Amino acid sequence: MAVVTLEVRGMTCASCVRHVEDALREVPGVRSATVNLATERAVVEYDPAQIMVGDLVEAVEDAGYQASPAVEAPPGAERRRATLQIAGISCASCVAAIERALRQVPGVLSASVNLATNQAVVEYAPALAGLDDLRRAVADAGYEVLAGEDEPEAFARARQEQAALFGRFIFAVVVGALLFAGSMGLAHYPGFPGWVSYVLFALATPVQFWSGAQFYRGAWAAARHRTTNMNTLIAVGTSAAYLYSVAATFFPRFFARAGMSPRELYYDVSALIIALILLGRYLEARARGRTGEAIRRLIGLQPRTARVITEEGERDVPVAQVEVGDMLLVRPGERVPVDGEIVSGESTVDESMITGESLPVEKAPGDTVIGGTINRAGAFRMRATRVGADTTLAQIVRLVQEAQASKVPIQHVADAIAAWFVPVVIVIALLTFAYWLFLGPPPAFNFALLAFVAVLIVACPCALGLATPTAIMVGTGRGAEHGILIRGGEALEQAHRLTTVVMDKTGTITHGLPDLSEVIPLDEADRGPLLREAASAERHSEHPIARAVVEGARREGLVLSEPEGFQALPGLGLSAQVDGREVLVGSRRLMEERGIDPLPLVIRAEGMAAQGQTALYVAVAGRLLGLLAVADTIKPTSEEAVARLRAMGLRVVMLTGDDPRTAQAIASQVGVDEVLAQVLPADKAERVKELQARGQVVGMVGDGINDAPALAQADVGIAIGTGTDVAIEASDITLVGGDLRGVPVAIRLSRATMRTIYQNFFWAFFYNVLLIPVAAGVLYPLTGTLLNPIFAALAMAFSSVSVVTNSLRLRRVAL
């Protein structure tokens, strides 16, 4: 006996568990099956001599759920992710077939196929599987893996395919119009020459087997693997109309003896159905191409060349040849070639396409610049720090591509339906044919044939398959344009459910660095000396508060003196000799210990502390000069971001390690609903868990290494892009520019995207629920006519185009 663990998706309750267990236990050779709803896994003991793992997967899928072997990589083994560009995908049934084939490859950990991009993203253990195994699995399923392409090449190939589709459509529609005229003449004008039927046959045949070749190829590939897809419906439906017409053309006497008119031909029906479906696919392909515009714009930001400075002078080289450490020159109006650090020169740089921030950013020596951004003003020299796939732009493109290839959890519902949709439609079509053949009015066979073809053609799993991927592509692309990187469909879906947003204080709500906020002299004439003497004393200290005082003095243009006898006084402050006089900077206790009366400023200092500021007493030569206030200042956008979140109905919680008084001071300024103060870094994740236990769906916003556990614990982790790589890696959403206003934008985008997906699902389901019965003839008693298969084809094409068009509306949603 052998044991296998299956991942089962789509279960929602104990009844689902029982249903899956029963389905597995009914498979011959299964000894036991146990399903766990919490882990979404099934452990099955079976006889490998009788059945294979694929049979177990098929049993679960037949029960209406999604399943795949839960292969785990060996401990410490490498995990890789591959993106395969696949040709021949036409509907949701194709998606299901390819995913099933890939998941059955030993070593494949996950596989997700996107109908909108025609890509498969596969995670696998290279110790167990290789790219050749993946390609072979796709080929065995009846599809073709294209050679590796970059985005521009894939786009060019897509344009060529669109042109080919349009050419076949034009041929089919022109010939279809001629066939329609000829068929009408034969059917309704007795004097119309009978030999015209042979001309119609000659015209219809190339439409059937050249314009419609892709449907036959797709149907045959599916049939070889004992499955069906959208191509099956089209090929069977059009072939039925075409072959009936061929038989009536070459065997007219047989039809006459059977009571059917040999002049009643349906070449035009077959040809025009093919023409309309090709038109629908052409329009759909064009619309789908627009969903990927954000990626193409991002890739278009990458400069082709860079100007490298060498000992021999300057020379232009391809960006691909730039190495870390190279010195580069960037002139006004040029794009920054790679990520780097400015060595000399000053400028303003437009980072809007990367960060979403519209205002240019001032840059000086020591500042970082991002590859692909535009240098607006002066020239500067920079040292390359990240090149190739390591640049910020390349990583953004990769993240967006992976997000666009992912699925929201609700898509698994559509996948489960798609697995049985086409076979069910074929059964309905056969039952419809039988009903009209045996119970319909004369000519019964003609009625049966028309209803059979209409049911096959009107059914459209394409719209079902396009409902989520097109919306995700547009939504994640729109997010990238605003500096919001969404890692995948699951994060996109979860974000719209958030009820509470938890924000770390330091580095998220505030800048994370102390800044000189106030200068309060006892005598106004002493304001300049107060700041100059204190900054001179602090000049060589590495303490963040000292650096804030020095930077504040420099901003005011003060000339500092060189301190002597510098002495740090732990817990009190510092002392130093400046221009021959003793300068003391520190706490009230320091003043008291040195015999200086702090009382004139005590009330003011306590007020500063209540506002979250650190008060520094300054005395020179034994005389109290005044106070300096240093605070971790609030980001200008924090208050607006919190207000937007609250206006959206979300509860905002601030999480900090500060004492309650300081924390409350910051909270009152930005307007948060709740403060969790004196929280140790190790306890942040626990606080998030406590909120979740209260029934809240929690989004956590943070930037530091100590935020990573809380980001991972939250339902949605949102990392500030200016923070650490660890925090960004642990998050589901990254704000590239560090602007907190990106949080409400991300949530609003999630809500708009999910609303669009639900709309798409509604129209896809409503369309099929409504039109399949109409095509079967339920309205015949009222109207006396059946749905013309040509109108069925038009409706089918419209359904797919409408879903994609609805998704494209996301590009205009106000964020």
Side-chain angles (χ1 to χ4, degrees):
M1 301 297 286
V3 176
V4 66
T5 301
L6 303 178
E7 290 183 358
V8 182
R9 292 168 298 281
M11 297 187 296
T12 59
C13 62
S15 296
C16 298
V17 170
R18 188 166 58 254
H19 194 189
V20 174
E21 286 180 342
D22 290 344
L24 287 168
R25 289 166 182 163
E26 289 173 2
V27 178
V30 170
R31 181 174 178 179
S32 66
T34 304
V35 177
N36 188 309
L37 179 61
T39 62
E40 294 188 314
R41 292 196 169 198
V43 179
V44 187
E45 188 178 6
Y46 69 101
D47 183 357
Q50 291 184 259
I51 55 171
M52 296 186 298
V53 173
D55 299 319
L56 302 176
V57 170
E58 188 173 343
V60 175
E61 292 182 341
D62 287 344
Y65 303 88
Q66 289 288 302
S68 60
V71 181
E72 299 291 347
E78 182 185 2
R79 300 165 71 103
R80 290 183 188 170
R81 177 171 291 188
T83 300
L84 307 178
Q85 192 72 38
I86 301 175
I89 306 178
S90 60
C91 68
S93 298
C94 302
V95 170
I98 296 170
E99 286 182 342
R100 185 164 52 246
L102 286 168
R103 288 170 182 160
Q104 290 181 2
V105 175
V108 168
L109 306 171
S110 66
S112 176
V113 177
N114 189 307
L115 177 58
T117 61
N118 287 347
Q119 288 181 335
V121 177
V122 187
E123 190 176 10
Y124 65 100
L128 302 174
L131 285 175
D132 289 341
D133 299 314
L134 305 181
R135 294 191 184 99
R136 193 178 305 115
V138 173
D140 288 344
Y143 301 87
E144 178 188 0
V145 177
L146 301 174
E149 299 176 314
D150 59 23
E151 188 70 22
E153 288 174 346
F155 180 63
R157 179 182 52 77
R159 295 295 294 269
Q160 292 173 356
E161 290 177 357
Q162 290 176 28
L165 268 175
F166 189 70
R168 292 173 188 266
F169 157 70
I170 291 297
F171 178 77
V173 77
V174 170
V175 174
L178 296 174
L179 292 170
F180 178 78
S183 298
M184 289 298 100
L186 276 173
H188 301 291
Y189 298 98
F192 209 75
W195 53 263
V196 171
S197 62
Y198 297 102
V199 175
L200 298 182
F201 164 75
L203 289 172
T205 300
V207 174
Q208 191 72 31
F209 299 108
W210 181 71
S211 293
Q214 66 186 75
F215 307 126
Y216 284 103
R217 284 196 297 268
W220 173 244
R224 284 193 298 115
H225 297 89
R226 295 180 297 174
T227 187
T228 55
N229 56 30
M230 187 62 206
N231 294 307
T232 307
L233 301 181
I234 298 168
V236 172
T238 59
S239 295
Y242 172 79
L243 293 175
Y244 172 86
S245 303
V246 170
T249 299
F250 289 97
F251 305 101
R253 293 180 181 176
F254 171 81
F255 282 78
R257 286 198 298 268
M260 294 181 288
S261 171
R263 297 171 67 92
E264 190 79 35
L265 304 178
Y266 299 110
Y267 289 122
D268 58 326
V269 171
S270 174
L272 288 174
I273 285 173
I274 289 173
L276 289 170
I277 293 173
L278 288 174
L279 174 63
R281 289 199 175 178
Y282 169 71
L283 295 175
E284 176 192 313
R286 284 193 60 183
R288 278 161 51 180
R290 291 166 61 197
T291 64
E293 284 182 1
I295 281 286
R296 287 193 292 277
R297 281 201 294 270
L298 284 170
I299 292 173
L301 295 178
Q302 180 65 62
R304 301 292 181 186
T305 61
R307 189 169 290 109
V308 178
I309 303 171
T310 64
E311 293 179 357
E312 293 77 24
E314 302 172 9
R315 60 189 179 93
D316 290 341
V317 301
V319 167
Q321 294 181 14
V322 176
E323 298 180 355
V324 173
D326 283 352
M327 196 70 66
L328 310 174
L329 175 65
V330 183
R331 295 173 178 169
E334 295 180 340
R335 290 193 181 275
V336 178
V338 295
D339 292 4
E341 180 181 327
I342 294 180
V343 175
S344 63
E346 296 182 353
S347 183
T348 57
V349 178
D350 181 356
E351 299 181 341
S352 59
M353 191 58 192
I354 302 294
T355 65
E357 176 56 56
S358 58
L359 295 177
V361 182
E362 294 184 2
K363 299 289 184 178
D367 290 338
T368 59
V369 286
I370 304 172
T373 56
I374 302 173
N375 179 27
R376 290 296 188 194
F380 59 81
R381 295 188 177 194
M382 59 173 284
R383 181 182 297 106
T385 57
R386 291 182 177 180
V387 300
D390 295 329
T391 64
T392 300
L393 180 59
Q395 292 178 30
I396 289 174
V397 170
R398 189 188 74 250
L399 281 172
V400 176
Q401 286 176 327
E402 290 178 357
Q404 292 186 341
S406 67
K407 294 185 178 183
V408 291
I410 194 175
Q411 173 66 24
H412 296 305
V413 176
D415 292 343
I417 294 172
W420 51 259
F421 183 86
V422 174
V424 167
V425 168
I426 292 174
V427 170
I428 293 172
L430 291 172
L431 291 174
T432 300
F433 180 83
Y435 173 85
W436 286 101
L437 181 63
F438 294 110
L439 301 176
F445 186 86
N446 296 59
F447 275 102
L449 179 65
L450 289 175
F452 173 75
V453 173
V455 169
L456 290 177
I457 298 304
V458 83
C460 185
C462 301
L464 200 59
L466 289 168
T468 65
T470 53
I472 290 174
M473 285 187 70
V474 179
T476 52
R478 185 83 190 280
E481 291 174 353
H482 285 75
I484 301 166
L485 302 183
I486 302 170
R487 285 188 175 271
E490 188 169 351
L492 191 66
E493 179 172 344
Q494 193 72 343
H496 94 287
R497 296 195 180 102
L498 292 179
T499 59
T500 299
V501 175
V502 177
M503 294 183 177
D504 177 56
K505 179 184 80 70
T506 306
T508 302
I509 292 176
T510 66
H511 284 101
L513 293 172
D515 188 37
L516 182 66
S517 54
E518 287 189 77
V519 179
I520 303 172
L522 270 176
D523 186 334
E524 191 60 36
D526 287 335
R527 188 183 189 286
L530 165 65
L531 181 55
R532 193 189 76 83
E533 301 292 333
S536 296
E538 301 262 27
R539 189 172 183 178
H540 296 308
S541 173
E542 291 299 318
H543 195 282
I545 290 179
R547 292 208 301 269
V549 173
V550 173
E551 183 60 32
R554 284 177 175 160
R555 282 200 304 266
E556 296 198 11
L558 299 177
V559 179
L560 305 184
S561 299
E562 191 67 26
E564 295 178 354
F566 175 85
Q567 184 180 7
L569 306 171
L572 298 174
L574 60 86
S575 68
Q577 295 292 321
V578 177
D579 297 332
R581 296 184 297 172
E582 183 185 46
V583 177
L584 297 174
V585 183
S587 64
R588 173 182 175 179
R589 182 181 163 195
L590 173 62
M591 299 296 115
E592 291 173 339
E593 287 188 2
R594 295 299 178 96
I596 300 170
D597 184 10
L599 284 178
L601 292 170
V602 166
I603 294 176
R604 194 65 182 271
E606 290 177 347
M608 289 178 178
Q611 295 174 12
Q613 301 180 89
T614 299
L616 302 174
Y617 292 83
V618 180
V620 178
R623 183 171 74 91
L624 183 66
L625 289 189
L627 287 173
L628 298 178
V630 175
D632 180 4
T633 55
I634 297 171
K635 292 180 180 178
T637 58
S638 294
E639 185 178 356
E640 183 183 349
V642 171
R644 289 184 184 181
L645 289 169
R646 295 184 67 191
M648 294 166 64
L650 294 162
R651 182 172 180 79
V652 183
V653 178
M654 188 180 80
L655 194 65
T656 178
D658 289 345
D659 66 85
R661 188 171 63 172
T662 302
Q664 194 59 53
I666 298 293
S668 62
Q669 292 182 60
V670 296
V672 300
D673 296 292
E674 183 180 350
V675 178
L676 300 177
Q678 292 183 320
V679 179
L680 297 174
D683 295 334
K684 288 184 177 182
E686 194 60 36
R687 293 292 181 272
V688 171
K689 193 181 296 184
E690 289 173 4
L691 288 170
Q692 291 170 324
R694 284 155 49 182
Q696 301 295 310
V697 182
V698 180
M700 171 70 195
V701 188
D703 75 316
I705 290 176
N706 58 17
D707 296 325
L711 289 168
Q713 172 63 41
D715 297 284
V716 178
I718 304 174
I720 300 296
T722 51
T724 65
D725 290 342
V726 175
I728 293 171
E729 190 63 32
S731 68
D732 302 299
I733 298 174
T734 300
L735 308 180
V736 178
D739 189 338
L740 265 186
R741 289 176 298 184
V743 178
V745 171
I747 296 171
R748 196 174 293 117
L749 178 62
S750 168
R751 291 178 176 181
T753 303
M754 293 308 302
R755 186 166 58 248
T756 299
I757 288 173
Y758 292 140
Q759 290 168 353
N760 287 348
F761 272 138
F762 171 79
W763 285 113
F765 283 113
F766 176 79
Y767 165 86
N768 282 298
V769 169
L770 178 67
L771 287 187
I772 289 179
V774 171
V778 295
L779 297 181
Y780 181 81
L782 298 176
T783 64
T785 59
L786 292 174
L787 178 66
N788 191 308
I790 294 174
F791 293 119
L794 187 62
M796 191 213 75
F798 172 77
S799 68
S800 296
V801 174
S802 64
V803 163
V804 180
T805 304
N806 189 49
S807 296
L808 287 171
R809 290 173 56 247
L810 279 169
R811 297 166 62 189
R812 298 189 298 274
V813 170
L815 298 177

